[in-house]
Amino acid sequence: MLHLTLSILEDGLFAAIAAIGFGSISNIPFKAFSGCALLAAIGHATRYFLMTSLDWNIIPAAFIGALCIGLLSIPASLIWKCPAECLSSPALLPMIPGMYAYRAVQALLKCLEHTGESAFQHYFYVLNFNLLYCVIIIVMMVIGIMAPIFLFSNLSFKATKA
Amino acid sequence: MLGMYDAAEQEKHESLKSTACFLTDYSVALLTCGTTTIRIEKNVERIAQAYGMHVEITILPLHIMLTLWDADRTHSYANSQKIKGGGLNFYLITQLSRLSWEILSKQMPLDQSRQEFQRLLAKPRLNKWLVLLLVGLANASFCHLFQGDWASMAIVFIATIDGFYLKNKLHGDWHWDIRITTLISAFAAAAISCAGFVFHIGDTPDVALATSVLFLVPGIPFINSVSDLIHGHYICFLSRCIHATVLTICLSLGLCLALLIMNVSL
């Protein structure tokens, strides 16, 4: 139990560093660094917990993780005084399935390289598998962060109100 | 009598014109720094409301077209503008959204709004050396999330710093095309992280190699494109999605090229 808690905390910590680093490329406000880090840690740790302890598939786990980020981004946007998506989008970055995305492109190149039927079919399978996962994960995650903004829209668009 | 009527008409026209020009500049700035279409619409409508006018805005991938009507919808002014190049900037999105609320609540006159807008545009970005360091740390911790060991994390840190510096230099300073830049940066980062294989450093050289290019994945454009999809802005969705996909293909090509040249298979 202690081991699990520690590994979840560790996962959250590294996800927070990743979110701040990738977010800083998009020039997130310096004051919002702590907010992004916190949301990213909660979201990624939730996904990690669901995938390792409960053996969930990455798609529903990523959706629930993103939903947590989305729900928390609304109170957070009022605290950090910046739009909800300026906190939740950078927080989502560590969960973007980049590995799936470029594995799909690699498989595409392999398809062109191998003309034999069985090898072609294998790489075609790899291509489709990675592509499907990548697309569905991204769409589900964005629905996860957008749904709360939709539901509480009068709140979330007023975060920057003085 | 006729002359007086013309003067009032002229004044109305001037006020519509200057407000429309401000709103176009404002929305172009928002679109340039990577705002979702729904927020651009809300912010622009808020400012128009503050000045007692109606606005109809069309957001295209590279253009903003807007028509501004006076309160009783008898006069209008239409304007369109192309976006200029510029990176994603969440700081600017936050500040420009705040400005739109201030204009509404303080009933800010137009020339003061424009001054404030210009002041916000001139704000500098985060220090680029700080960003370089943070990106390196971010990608190294990403490597850790994929079960990479400390040696692999160190390799990824160095590879990322080099790749990102190259990207800044080529795209930021020399204004090379972003696609070529992405390909070259991915190639450099992947080639450097092949060190794990070549010199047998660490137990997880495959993780180091696979995560070394992840800092180039255009995450925010992907997220924004799906957000536009959800809100029904299909043209913006398609354009952002295609842009992000092209960049992903470029970074994969860079990685494959590095694997080919270093004779490593992943």
Side-chain angles (χ1 to χ4, degrees), chain A residues 10 25-27 81 85 102, chain B residues 39 89-91 98 144 210:
Chain A
E10 191 189 350
I25 303 177
S26 317
N27 203 31
K81 296 260 177 251
E85 76 258 22
Y102 76 66
Chain B
R39 182 168 289 279
N89 192 338
F90 277 117
Y91 175 77
R98 197 169 288 166
H144 187 83

Side-chain angles (χ1 to χ4, degrees), chain A residues 18-66:
Chain A
I20 290 182
F22 295 144
S24 69
I25 303 177
S26 317
N27 203 31
I28 47 176
F30 191 72
K31 283 176 192 156
F33 270 26
S34 50
C36 288
L38 189 66
L39 288 180
I42 292 171
H44 205 278
T46 306
R47 190 184 81 165
Y48 177 78
F49 171 72
L50 292 173
M51 281 172 68
T52 52
S53 300
L54 307 183
D55 270 335
W56 281 29
N57 183 283
I58 188 168
I59 294 173
F63 175 66
I64 299 293

Side-chain angles (χ1 to χ4, degrees), chain A residues 10-31 33 44 47-48 80-90 92-99 101-103 105-106 108-110 134-135 138-147 149-150 153-154 156-162, chain B residues 35-36 38-39 42-43 46 88-95 97-102 105-106 124-126 130-132 134-135 137-142 144-147 150 153 164 167 207 209-220 222-224 226-227 229-231 248-249 251-253 255-256 259 265-266:
Chain A
E10 191 189 350
D11 185 88
L13 174 71
F14 282 102
I17 300 174
I20 290 182
F22 295 144
S24 69
I25 303 177
S26 317
N27 203 31
I28 47 176
F30 191 72
K31 283 176 192 156
F33 270 26
H44 205 278
R47 190 184 81 165
Y48 177 78
W80 275 277
K81 296 260 177 251
C82 76
E85 76 258 22
C86 287
L87 290 170
S88 55
S89 305
L92 215 52
L93 287 177
M95 298 213 285
I96 288 285
M99 207 91 107
Y102 76 66
R103 288 221 165 114
V105 181
Q106 273 185 323
L108 178 70
L109 293 176
K110 291 273 187 192
C134 176
V135 170
I138 294 180
V139 171
M140 292 308 286
M141 285 199 314
V142 180
I143 291 176
I145 61 164
M146 283 294 157
I149 296 181
F150 246 143
S153 61
N154 50 349
S156 58
F157 281 101
K158 282 179 187 151
T160 45
K161 193 172 179 179
Chain B
T35 319
T36 51
I38 177 89
R39 182 168 289 279
K42 294 235 178 199
N43 286 357
R46 189 177 301 135
L88 299 169
N89 192 338
F90 277 117
Y91 175 77
L92 204 53
I93 299 176
T94 307
Q95 294 299 323
S97 298
R98 197 169 288 166
L99 175 67
S100 73
W101 280 108
E102 276 175 7
S105 63
K106 294 181 187 162
R125 293 176 75 95
L126 287 169
L130 175 70
V131 175
L132 189 65
L134 287 175
V135 173
L137 288 175
N139 222 13
S141 47
F142 227 53
H144 187 83
L145 289 177
F146 288 105
Q147 271 84 41
W150 292 101
M153 283 172 72
F164 193 68
K167 186 187 166 199
V207 179
L209 187 49
T211 46
S212 62
V213 291
L214 284 180
F215 68 100
L216 291 164
V217 173
I220 299 288
F222 271 128
I223 294 173
N224 281 346
V226 178
S227 160
L229 171 73
I230 293 172
H231 293 102
T248 310
I249 291 174
L251 84 87
S252 312
L253 287 180
L255 176 70
C256 291
L259 294 181
S265 63
L266 197 61

Side-chain angles (χ1 to χ4, degrees), chain A residues 91-132:
Chain A
L92 215 52
L93 287 177
M95 298 213 285
I96 288 285
M99 207 91 107
Y100 285 93
Y102 76 66
R103 288 221 165 114
V105 181
Q106 273 185 323
L108 178 70
L109 293 176
K110 291 273 187 192
C111 272
L112 300 175
E113 187 185 322
H114 294 85
T115 44
E117 190 178 353
S118 65
F120 184 88
Q121 273 190 350
H122 169 69
Y123 286 116
F124 202 63
Y125 153 77
V126 177
L127 163 67
N128 281 310
F129 176 85
N130 284 298
L131 190 65
L132 268 182

Side-chain angles (χ1 to χ4, degrees), chain B residues 60-79:
Chain B
L60 293 170
L62 295 176
H63 293 83
I64 291 279
M65 292 163 70
L66 64 78
T67 306
L68 196 66
W69 290 86
D70 59 353
D72 46 5
R73 289 199 179 249
T74 48
H75 294 270
S76 70
Y77 190 89
N79 197 8

